[in-house]
Amino acid sequence: MRIIIWIALLAGITVFTSCARDKTPAGEPTKLEPVEIELSFTVEGEISPDYFYFFVFNFTNSPNTGEEYRPLPLVSGPERGTRWERYIVFNGESRTEENIKTLTKSDTPTFTAVGAGPKHILSTDVNGDGLPDVITANSLDDTVSVLLLGTAGRFSEHVDYEVGDEPVALALLDLTEADEPELAVSNGADSEEGNSISLLSNDGTGVFSLISTVELPAQPYGLAVGDFTGDGTDDLAVALFTDSEEGNRVAVFPVAEGELGEPVYTEVGVNPTFIAVTSLNDDDVDDLVVLNSFNGEGGNSLMLLAAAGDGSFTVEQTFETDPVPSGLAVARLNADEDDDYAFTSAFNDDPGNTLTVILSDGEGGFHAQERMAVGHTPRDVIAGDLNEDGRLDLIVVESADDTEGNRIRRLLQNEFGGWGNALAYEVGKEPYAGVLLDLNSDDHLDCAVVNSANDILGNSIALFTGDGTGDFQGTVTFWTDEEPDPITTQVWYLGSSITRNRFSILLDPRTFYNLNGVQPDNFIVDFMTFDTGIDWMTNPEDYGREYDWLHIPLVVCEDVGFEANEDQDQLEGDIEDAPNPPPAAANIVDWYAEVR
């Protein structure tokens, strides 16, 4: 049975060229059965060689039927592609299938494989070549992965080393004062091979070997390295997050003569997870900050612990947090010389999904907390000067596997000490932690994020390059504007026809996937004309908005097949700057959608 939805009746018969092909992209999950949709647009005059004609398919943030807002369909400018769009472009100089092209965004992140279920990442030069390498803790296959960075900005294939059960955190600890510090790994499972810390040595070339395993009385999570005893030697601190008599503590292992000494325990809140070194006073002993992540009494707090000088601490101050605090950045975010604290709430409901910043007042106290809404299930926060203005900015890693997760969110600090100008970048699946580093030796901060899902686009690192302006791109940083791809290369393309004044296309929207292999619930189709070509570099101020003369884009629901007529609707446009009247070659007079 064919379901046909007419928006305007068209005269004439369209004959389609078509290509037989597998409708599910290789490596992507099989989803719904294929469906064919015909979209057809007719202009008032003849399709002109003076214009470029675009279909723009908007997927992310597409409004539901009846909503007024729709994303602007940009075909050029720096904002193009930020909502995960697909493009079809052709010029009126010919009416053949070979003339129809697609624009593909090539600056998506580069993905580098690691072990299964990575939960933490750190960056350090492990082989002495001056380049930042990375190490990940892989919780599902009980390994750490070591990846060496080459001069081309690409990582070598990962080399895995077995550790304990469910490694979740990493730290570098100089036990022997050798050229290369040892690697400490917290094994977080409550099992015979968990409840421990693995210590690995590096031979100076990036080859690691297990040297010892330290048993713990409870499950460990976060690690921190600092001088907690005041003897000038770094010690190791670990959060014991098990809610038990042996847990809910921080254990400090003093380092002496190249070995870990007996642990010194300090009671904290319930389920301490993330810990970091801080300085609360002017003495020569490092202090600690702890996130207590239990969602209930005794948890949901940030504690500042003042060192006593023997490996123990006293609670200096406690701040209440939103539920399930996660991710912790300690940095001097404002203009004074005292540490500030940024952390997220991983509770994926109100009042969670937030970023909180606690700023010092320069006199030993703190200003009121600044709390900001972010995306779903934020797991990590990173501080760094991304736009090189002398102020530290923030990146939030958002992990929920839904439309508001699987991304990083960049927030720039303004001259007034607030954070805004947010941009979100899609990563892989269930990103968990990130680190800043310089991938391409251009002295700008880049970002690496581990994707923890044991699935497509998981078990990987997503790599983004920064340009010193605060923006991030993938390691391949160009658009294929000058040489668009033939449309016949696209799995969703089923056929097309261009006549004197009409363009029609057959497509299968059920093969549309976003970067995370997820089909959108709906999409918007805009038909646009543009007379300046398709290379925005030659015309950077012209974003194409004034050439959108349709004003009534088609909202298509991805329960695709339009099982009920109300699943497809028109949506009034919101662009006020369009020329009036449009030239005949760009004036849409009829259009329709047909589902086969």
Side-chain angles (χ1 to χ4, degrees), residues 312-584:
S312 67
F313 301 87
T314 59
V315 177
E316 180 90 355
Q317 194 165 357
T318 300
F319 298 90
E320 292 185 1
T321 70
D322 284 338
V324 194
S326 63
L328 175 62
V330 179
R332 294 178 178 176
L333 298 173
N334 56 12
D336 61 38
E337 297 299 314
D338 296 329
D339 284 342
D340 309 299
Y341 309 100
F343 56 91
T344 54
S345 164
F347 183 63
N348 193 13
D349 203 345
D350 187 57
N353 295 325
T354 57
L355 166 68
T356 299
V357 177
I358 301 176
L359 294 176
S360 59
D361 62 9
E363 299 178 356
F366 295 92
H367 298 292
Q369 300 180 28
E370 181 176 357
R371 179 175 173 271
M372 295 161 272
V374 293
H376 291 181
T377 320
R379 294 287 186 187
D380 196 14
V381 58
I382 316 163
D385 186 2
L386 305 177
N387 58 354
E388 300 172 8
D389 62 355
R391 294 184 289 266
L392 293 184
D393 311 301
L394 297 173
I395 294 175
V396 177
V397 178
E398 300 168 0
S399 184
D401 188 18
D402 61 22
T403 57
E404 297 299 325
N406 289 326
R407 62 184 62 176
I408 60 172
R409 183 181 304 268
R410 181 224 66 189
L411 298 162
L412 298 180
Q413 185 178 178
N414 59 39
E415 59 184 312
F416 305 107
W419 281 266
N421 195 16
L423 281 179
Y425 304 86
E426 290 193 7
V427 292
K429 197 168 185 180
E430 297 179 21
Y432 216 88
V435 67
L436 294 174
L437 69 170
D438 186 358
L439 288 168
N440 48 13
S441 301
D442 63 355
D443 296 325
H444 301 312
L445 286 176
D446 309 313
C447 188
V449 180
V450 290
N451 302 301
S452 65
N454 192 24
D455 198 350
I456 182 171
L457 293 181
N459 299 332
S460 64
I461 304 173
L463 304 174
F464 297 85
T465 56
D467 58 8
T469 69
D471 196 11
F472 284 101
Q473 297 169 319
T475 53
V476 181
T477 57
F478 61 90
W479 292 86
T480 57
D481 284 355
E482 293 76 15
E483 297 182 14
D485 294 332
I487 199 168
T488 53
T489 65
Q490 303 301 310
V491 69
W492 41 266
Y493 172 75
L494 303 177
S496 62
S497 173
I498 307 175
T499 62
R500 182 185 64 84
N501 68 335
R502 183 177 65 208
F503 175 82
S504 299
I505 184 168
L506 273 177
L507 56 87
D508 178 6
R510 286 183 172 171
T511 61
F512 290 158
Y513 294 86
N514 68 9
L515 187 64
N516 302 308
V518 177
Q519 291 176 312
D521 294 328
N522 56 53
F523 60 89
I524 301 175
V525 184
D526 279 281
F527 187 81
M528 304 173 64
T529 52
F530 203 54
D531 65 1
T532 57
I534 55 176
D535 180 7
W536 78 271
M537 294 296 292
T538 63
N539 193 9
E541 299 303 320
D542 188 351
Y543 297 161
R545 299 174 188 172
E546 62 268 38
Y547 298 99
D548 179 4
W549 282 296
L550 179 56
H551 287 268
I552 312 175
L554 178 68
V555 181
V556 181
C557 286
E558 181 76 45
D559 298 332
V560 177
F562 301 148
E563 296 175 0
N565 286 358
E566 59 268 20
D567 286 343
Q568 172 271 337
D569 202 356
Q570 302 172 51
L571 187 69
E572 293 294 336
D574 57 2
I575 299 172
E576 299 178 354
D577 298 328
N580 189 21

Side-chain angles (χ1 to χ4, degrees), residues 105-235:
K105 187 177 181 181
S106 297
D107 61 348
T108 53
T110 294
F111 290 93
T112 298
V114 295
K119 290 294 181 67
H120 194 210
I121 181 172
L122 64 77
S123 177
T124 185
D125 179 10
V126 300
N127 60 351
D129 63 357
L131 298 176
D133 309 305
V134 295
I135 306 172
T136 65
N138 310 314
S139 64
L140 295 183
D141 63 7
D142 303 337
T143 65
V144 294
S145 293
V146 177
L147 297 90
L148 304 180
L149 183 65
T151 55
R154 304 283 177 152
F155 284 101
S156 64
E157 185 175 351
H158 63 101
V159 177
D160 297 338
Y161 299 90
E162 292 185 0
V163 289
D165 199 354
E166 295 184 21
V168 291
L170 305 167
L172 294 173
L173 175 66
D174 191 357
L175 280 173
T176 59
E177 298 184 357
D179 292 336
E180 299 297 333
E182 284 72 28
L183 177 67
V185 184
S186 64
N187 304 307
D190 186 13
S191 66
E192 184 177 350
E193 299 298 324
N195 294 326
S196 64
I197 296 172
S198 297
L199 295 175
L200 294 85
S201 63
N202 176 9
D203 69 357
T205 68
V207 176
F208 286 78
S209 57
L210 182 66
I211 55 176
S212 66
T213 299
V214 180
E215 295 184 359
L216 298 169
Q219 292 168 271
Y221 204 93
L223 299 172
V225 174
D227 182 5
F228 304 120
T229 57
D231 62 358
T233 301
D234 279 343
D235 310 304

